[in-house]
Amino acid sequence: MHKGPIMDLQRISALFEQRREGHTLPQALYTQAESFDFDMAAIFGQSWLMAGMECELPKAGSYISMMVGKWPVVITRDKEGTIRAFHNSCRHRGSMICALGSGTTPKLVCPYHRWTYDLDGSLFAAGRMDSSFDKSEHGLKPVAIECISGTIFICLSDTPPPIDDFRAKLTEYAAPHNLKDAKLAYESVLVENANWKLVMENGRECYHCSTGHPELSKTFPVGMSKHFDSGHDERVVAFEAQMDALGLPQTPVEGHYWQIARFALNEGCVSISGDGQHLSKKLMCDANGGDIGSMRWAVDPHCFVHCTADHAFMFSAMPVGPNETHVTGKWYVHKDAVEGVDYDVEKLIALWTVTNLEDKALAENNQLGVNSLGYTPGPYSQEAEMLAQRFTDYYCDKARDYIATHGKG
Ligand code: FES
Ligand SMILES: [Fe+2]
């Protein structure tokens, strides 16, 4: 292996050796450029990441062009309906082929010298090349992809982590929500001046919610402890029995990098919304009149999704630099829901928009304090921050695996 990265890995490895169990991470892991490069290679380059939903590629030729950190990826749907993902880098001289965003195109055409690719990634045309040039050797490099119950996951590694258990469980839990029949109603990107791990730790605990999110607290059971454990609250026990009777999976399940559960919202609430009522009249799941709590899954390192009967909300944090993270929010409703009739976009996005802005302020303030000469890793609440600790434990496991595989020098 090249000498530089070996030296880097030695320094990084020492940081993980300092990690104190049950505590936040050593400072350098939240602040240094070298740690950021490591996170991209060891975490974002090695994990299944949620790109969005199949409904964002509604027809033949639909594509989504997105960034995973500094790495551009394009996802396409061909005439047969097959969805594929590729590195968005031309096999000629490497230009990014599709500009960021989404759209429809019969072929992918590089803007530089017009090399043209089919939607299956094969090189269709390349002008003025020698007769010895072999087009079949210059197709787009594929990215691993899994479409599960209407969702799309990608992995940039040539050896993706196992996904069978997650696929089986998400298929079962998401089935009642008909995500293939959804449409993207709104998408926003929030730039947060904080390390991605601070953004994610914030997103994995509700210790801060009762004071930090007065709006969310109206509908969301912010006092839950552990993994969606509400203790033996009679109302929650009755909810779980009711979901079981309806055949709607509710028991919390988890694997190394994922968790799925359905949980009861606060009393009288049927959606995660400003007033607890549905935000779209056309339901994605009409079981029990749309009173089915929230089915929530989270995938490390970067996302969570809440599905209530009326809409789904996806949160995805993508690192951009050591102290910069882009948080994408996507709101989905039933594909037949009509804007202005069945739902109002402003109302649909209001709660998570204000919540994400509150979290942005908390994460940015967290970063300022973590930069302090006085910062030292602090203890997580075992009652209220189990999922934040689970996230940093996952991060350390994954990092140590990468270091073990790629050598410490
Ligand atoms: S870099 Fe794409 S055609 Fe030249
Ligand atoms: Fe929050």
Side-chain angles (χ1 to χ4, degrees), residues 107-177:
K107 298 229 181 327
L108 305 174
V109 182
C110 180
Y112 205 172
H113 314 95
R114 317 301 293 176
W115 280 29
T116 300
Y117 300 86
D118 273 316
L119 297 165
D120 65 2
S122 57
L123 180 60
F124 172 76
R128 298 174 67 177
M129 296 302 289
D130 296 345
S131 58
S132 63
F133 174 71
D134 185 354
K135 281 195 302 197
S136 71
E137 286 183 4
H138 293 84
L140 295 180
K141 295 247 177 87
V143 166
I145 186 162
E146 285 277 343
C147 294
I148 307 170
S149 272
T151 67
I152 302 175
F153 286 83
I154 56 171
C155 179
L156 301 186
S157 171
D158 293 335
T159 52
I163 196 168
D164 290 358
D165 290 352
F166 176 61
R167 188 198 300 110
K169 288 299 178 191
L170 185 59
T171 300
E172 181 189 340
Y173 280 64
H177 293 269

Side-chain angles (χ1 to χ4, degrees), residues 12 15 27-37 195 322-323:
I12 296 277
L15 295 173
Q27 185 178 50
L29 292 173
Y30 292 120
T31 58
Q32 285 186 352
E34 188 176 68
S35 299
F36 171 75
D37 291 341
N195 184 270
N323 295 154

